[in-house]
Amino acid sequence: MNPERVFQVLAGPHVSEKAAIVADAANQYVFKVAVDATKPEIRKAVEQLFKVKVENVTTMKVKGKTKRNRYGYSTKPTWKKAYVSVQPGQEIDFTTAD
C-alpha cells in the first residue's frame, strides 16, 4: 500500500471510555478512518503501520450531530470509525509507530 494512503486511511486512534473497555476485553482497537476507506484498506494500513496481524475489521459511520449556534443550526461532519481485532498475544502501542 502507498505510504501516503496509509496516513489518509488512518486518521488516528479514537480514545474513549468504550474504546478502552473493548481494548482490554476483546483485544480490539478503535480508529478514526477516512469515510471512503474500505475494510481491506484499513486492514493493510494497520498491519503495515503497527506490524501486527489483523483478524477482523468492523466499520461504522457516525452521523454528525446537529448543533445550534448564533447563526442557526449547523451539522458536525459525519465520520467513520473502525474496530480492529488483532491476533491473540499481539497488541498495538500507539506511542511507537514504525
Side-chain angles (χ1 to χ4, degrees):
M1 177 181 270
N2 187 345
E4 291 86 20
R5 182 65 180 155
V6 170
F7 292 108
Q8 289 174 353
V9 169
L10 295 178
H14 180 66
V15 180
S16 66
E17 189 172 347
K18 182 179 178 183
I21 292 169
V22 169
D24 290 338
N27 205 19
Q28 289 183 337
Y29 299 92
V30 185
F31 293 95
K32 288 183 181 181
V33 297
V35 178
D36 64 340
T38 62
K39 289 181 182 183
E41 279 184 328
I42 296 167
R43 175 187 298 268
K44 287 179 187 175
V46 171
E47 286 178 349
Q48 186 176 347
L49 190 62
F50 296 105
K51 295 177 179 45
V52 294
K53 285 290 185 184
V54 175
E55 277 191 348
N56 190 21
V57 176
T58 306
T59 60
M60 69 183 320
K61 282 191 177 179
V62 180
K63 186 173 186 282
K65 293 181 179 178
T66 302
K67 298 285 188 172
R68 185 173 173 167
N69 57 26
R70 67 181 185 182
Y71 303 113
Y73 291 97
S74 64
T75 304
K76 298 290 181 180
T78 299
W79 56 283
K80 190 174 190 178
K81 68 178 169 180
Y83 288 89
V84 178
S85 299
V86 297
Q87 288 185 347
Q90 294 185 341
E91 63 179 25
I92 294 176
D93 186 12
F94 292 117
T95 58
T96 59
D98 293 334

